[in-house]
Amino acid sequence: QVQVEESGGGSVQAGESLRLSCTGSALAFDDSAMGWFRQSAGKLREGVACVSGMTGKTYYVDSVKDRFTISRDEAKATLFLQMDSLRPEDTAIYHCAAPLPTCEGDWASRYFGLWGQGTQVTVSS
């Protein structure tokens, strides 16, 4: 049973912004890490951003640093990904995942839970 639902994707021009949201019962664990992943055509899914449940510290893949911001609203059990200065290479299906065991090290490879449908982000030049 899928426990997350992503929304907020769309088609934009390079340089524009989108804000993704993720809701669901899997986000109801206040002390757990949560993250965003993406998968583009012909590529493996990669971890994009992670937020620690205990410290609130955030982690980003190098390609999105200073452009993307992950945040969470614990009261609403919602996870966000603010994406600014979008580039064509950001085009992908974006998924959220929770709970994650950690945001440390190779955190993206340590999630073995369920995936939602994701939300498509398309950036044209």
Side-chain angles (χ1 to χ4, degrees):
Q1 183 176 359
V2 175
Q3 295 178 310
V4 296
E5 182 173 357
E6 303 92 344
S7 63
S11 296
V12 297
Q13 297 287 321
E16 294 183 341
S17 300
L18 283 172
R19 189 190 195 207
L20 306 183
S21 299
C22 176
T23 60
S25 58
L27 280 76
F29 300 94
D30 293 348
D31 294 336
S32 297
M34 302 176 182
W36 286 95
F37 293 71
R38 67 185 179 187
Q39 185 167 22
S40 53
K43 295 185 178 180
L44 296 175
R45 184 179 286 130
E46 70 168 343
V48 175
C50 186
V51 56
S52 170
M54 296 298 292
T55 66
K57 188 175 180 180
T58 55
Y59 302 77
Y60 301 92
V61 68
D62 286 346
S63 60
V64 308
K65 283 181 180 177
D66 300 323
R67 298 189 300 120
F68 289 12
T69 303
I70 187 172
S71 62
R72 58 196 292 175
D73 182 335
E74 294 182 0
K76 298 181 180 180
T78 304
L79 185 69
F80 301 101
L81 186 66
Q82 177 67 38
M83 306 187 296
D84 298 320
S85 302
L86 282 162
R87 304 168 180 170
E89 53 264 40
D90 295 320
T91 295
I93 298 175
Y94 284 73
H95 298 267
C96 67
L100 296 171
T102 182
C103 284
E104 301 286 344
D106 190 15
W107 61 269
S109 68
R110 297 165 72 175
Y111 177 72
F112 300 101
L114 298 175
W115 297 98
Q117 292 286 337
T119 186
Q120 175 71 47
V121 172
T122 303
V123 186
S124 56
S125 58

